[in-house]
Amino acid sequence: MDYKKILDCLYRLESPKIKLGLERVQALLDKVGNPEKKLKCIHVAGTNGKGSVCAMLQSVLIESGYKVGMYTSPHLKKFNERIRVNDTLITDREIVEYFIRIKPHITDHSFFEITTAMAFLYFYEKKADFVVLETGLGGRLDATNVITPLVSVITNIGLEHTDLLGKTIERISFEKAGIIKEDVPVVAGAKGIALKIIKKIAKERNAPLLEAKNYPRTKFKYLSGEFQQRNKDIALTAIGTLKKLHRIKINKMQIKDGLQKTKWPARMQFISGNVLVDAAHNPDGISTLKDELAIIKKQKNIKNFVFVAGMQSDKNIKSMLKLLNPLASAIIFTKSGNPKAAKPRDLLGIFNKINKNKKISKKIINNPKKALNYAKKIAGKNDLIVIAGSIYMIGEII
């Protein structure tokens, strides 16, 4: 089997109906020697910021001389991005090798369960000192939740995947806080009701709770946006916990250099002078983007925002478009090749119901790159093109 056939085989298992639960992935890991039990993990859950926090933790640990595995999802441009050691992606050949080894034990396992098992086995055999592990969806019943980590991290909590996790912040907080383990410290960036739920569960499990501290601002080389300062505070609180409770050697210069070197593309990233991409793929993400654009508008004297928007059909599209509506002078609806991508005509239909008074130029261009080219044609000298929404859509553009 070659790489493409393996991936095709895997993607066919990516059912629209997500399978939550730990029994299947645990049975699969039992068959391959339980590599997850032999790894030192930092487990990261939350609604937004998970990837950035993971990338910061990875970068600081690498800078401190450790061998670090990282497992994240979804990918931006290619599957290999999901599994990496010291920021070197798993190779095509290795994907084939690890899938073939796990394949005899696959029964009714999902795409994410299989790739999670592959990642654990890969990190163990690569002798990773630490593994930074991002949940796929939720926490309590997420396939990654078979581990007992050194520290659990919950970035923030908003309304997302309400069909699977519950329709209230309380219920979603309960699911995300499911990564909290007995006697294992937990770092929380969440506020309000969500933090109250996290505190309650941490107390029940005798897990020391650390609210994210406020650290001095960091000048990132590759990251931008005020929200990354908040993500940095969460990452540094987790690093401080590792140092204090597990006596992991990391000094101030390694922390500083590690943070500065952190890369996590498609988050408030300028890909050219007047084109910004941001993988704001849910209402909380769009709300943060809105705040960031207000700052950029003043800094760069921006006149208008021209949006290229593509979203996944399982997101709260109406809430996202309501937030974009007052910002846009023009909006081009597009879609990725992902099966869950919302149809641009459906996006336009929802947007037209929201946009009753403001005159906004609207267009449908199914191909994301062609949508960007059109945006470039209509954008004025002092306008900013903002590509936002689906990570898959952004991956097809950059």
Side-chain angles (χ1 to χ4, degrees):
M1 284 181 113
D2 65 19
Y3 168 74
K4 190 173 184 310
K5 283 181 181 174
I6 294 284
L7 286 185
D8 286 346
C9 181
L10 277 169
Y11 286 135
R12 279 197 296 274
L13 297 170
E14 196 172 15
S15 165
K17 188 170 175 56
I18 293 169
K19 296 178 181 178
L20 291 175
L22 305 181
E23 298 82 7
R24 290 177 305 274
V25 69
Q26 191 62 71
L28 189 54
L29 288 162
D30 290 347
K31 296 284 188 182
V32 294
N34 296 113
E36 80 287 359
K37 295 186 187 304
K38 302 158 190 170
L39 297 169
K40 293 178 179 178
C41 297
I42 301 148
H43 202 189
V44 183
T47 300
N48 290 307
K50 298 189 297 293
S52 294
V53 169
C54 285
M56 290 177 196
L57 290 168
Q58 173 198 236
S59 190
V60 169
L61 287 167
I62 291 171
E63 194 65 25
S64 304
Y66 297 107
K67 193 177 204 181
V68 188
M70 186 166 79
Y71 180 58
T72 57
S73 61
H75 58 270
L76 188 62
K77 294 188 78 67
K78 62 179 187 173
F79 174 88
N80 311 57
E81 296 165 27
R82 294 172 181 244
I83 302 170
R84 59 182 83 193
V85 172
N86 277 15
D87 216 23
T88 299
L89 309 188
I90 187 171
T91 65
D92 295 355
R93 182 187 58 77
E94 287 168 330
I95 290 170
V96 172
E97 176 194 334
Y98 279 84
F99 179 75
I100 286 172
R101 288 173 60 186
I102 283 174
K103 191 171 183 285
H105 312 297
I106 295 170
T107 54
D108 62 340
H109 295 91
S110 70
F111 167 85
F112 191 70
E113 288 165 347
I114 294 163
T115 59
T116 300
M118 287 168 61
F120 281 135
L121 190 57
Y122 183 74
F123 295 141
Y124 170 65
E125 293 187 348
K126 288 289 182 181
K127 297 181 170 57
D129 297 313
F130 299 100
V131 172
V132 181
L133 196 66
E134 179 189 16
T135 59
L137 194 154
R140 184 175 67 94
L141 298 174
D142 185 77
T144 60
N145 203 31
V146 291
I147 51 129
T148 300
L150 300 178
V151 61
S152 306
V153 179
I154 302 170
T155 58
N156 54 43
I157 293 173
L159 290 172
E160 189 184 28
H161 299 295
T162 52
D163 55 328
L164 294 164
L165 302 180
K167 299 189 184 301
T168 64
I169 289 291
E170 289 91 339
R171 185 67 212 177
I172 293 170
S173 300
F174 172 78
E175 291 298 330
K176 304 267 187 192
I179 69 165
I180 299 173
K181 303 295 194 304
E182 200 76 30
D183 300 318
V184 174
V186 55
V187 171
K191 305 290 182 188
I193 296 167
L195 181 59
K196 192 176 175 182
I197 302 291
I198 292 166
K199 281 181 175 178
K200 180 177 180 288
I201 293 170
K203 189 177 180 181
E204 287 169 358
R205 296 178 190 172
N206 198 37
L209 177 82
L210 298 100
E211 293 181 50
K213 297 176 184 176
N214 292 319
Y215 287 86
R217 292 181 66 81
T218 291
K219 283 189 177 181
F220 295 105
K221 286 183 182 177
Y222 307 105
L223 301 178
S224 62
E226 195 60 33
F227 68 99
Q228 294 294 17
Q229 298 296 331
R230 296 194 292 275
N231 288 333
K232 168 263 299 173
D233 290 342
I234 296 166
L236 288 186
T237 306
I239 290 289
T241 306
L242 290 172
K243 286 179 68 179
K244 184 179 178 182
L245 298 182
H246 296 285
R247 297 182 180 178
I248 294 167
K249 292 181 180 178
I250 305 171
N251 64 42
K252 286 183 180 179
M253 189 54 68
Q254 290 163 340
I255 290 171
K256 182 184 175 185
D257 291 347
L259 286 175
Q260 285 186 345
K261 292 176 183 178
T262 303
K263 292 182 180 179
W264 198 239
R267 277 73 181 175
M268 289 300 293
Q269 179 187 359
F270 279 90
I271 58 172
S272 67
N274 73 328
V275 181
L276 176 76
V277 297
D278 187 60
H281 58 280
N282 55 36
D284 275 12
I286 295 287
S287 181
T288 299
L289 171 62
K290 186 177 179 179
D291 293 342
E292 297 291 346
L293 290 178
I295 296 167
I296 290 171
K297 188 169 187 174
K298 287 181 181 177
Q299 287 176 342
K300 295 183 176 286
N301 196 26
I302 301 298
K303 187 178 179 184
N304 297 305
F305 293 113
V306 177
F307 281 92
V308 175
M311 297 163 184
Q312 296 291 87
S313 58
D314 59 350
K315 302 298 180 186
N316 188 338
I317 292 168
K318 186 177 179 182
S319 293
M320 293 165 75
L321 292 178
K322 270 186 177 178
L323 288 163
L324 289 184
N325 177 44
L327 301 176
S329 66
I331 188 162
I332 302 112
F333 293 109
T334 188
K335 68 186 287 293
S336 72
N338 187 276
K340 290 183 187 175
K343 293 174 183 175
R345 69 170 177 268
D346 293 341
L347 295 177
L348 178 61
I350 295 167
F351 190 77
N352 281 336
K353 288 177 183 175
I354 294 163
N355 180 252
K356 304 228 172 158
N357 302 314
K358 190 180 174 190
K359 286 187 177 179
I360 295 175
S361 170
K362 294 163 281 189
K363 195 168 180 70
I364 288 173
I365 300 176
N366 286 314
N367 180 289
K369 285 189 175 179
K370 288 180 180 177
L372 174 57
N373 288 336
Y374 178 77
K376 287 177 178 177
K377 285 179 186 175
I378 65 168
K381 186 182 176 184
N382 295 320
D383 294 349
L384 180 67
I385 297 165
V386 183
I387 305 165
S390 159
I391 292 171
Y392 294 109
M393 180 269 294
I394 290 171
E396 290 178 21
I397 286 178
I398 65 173

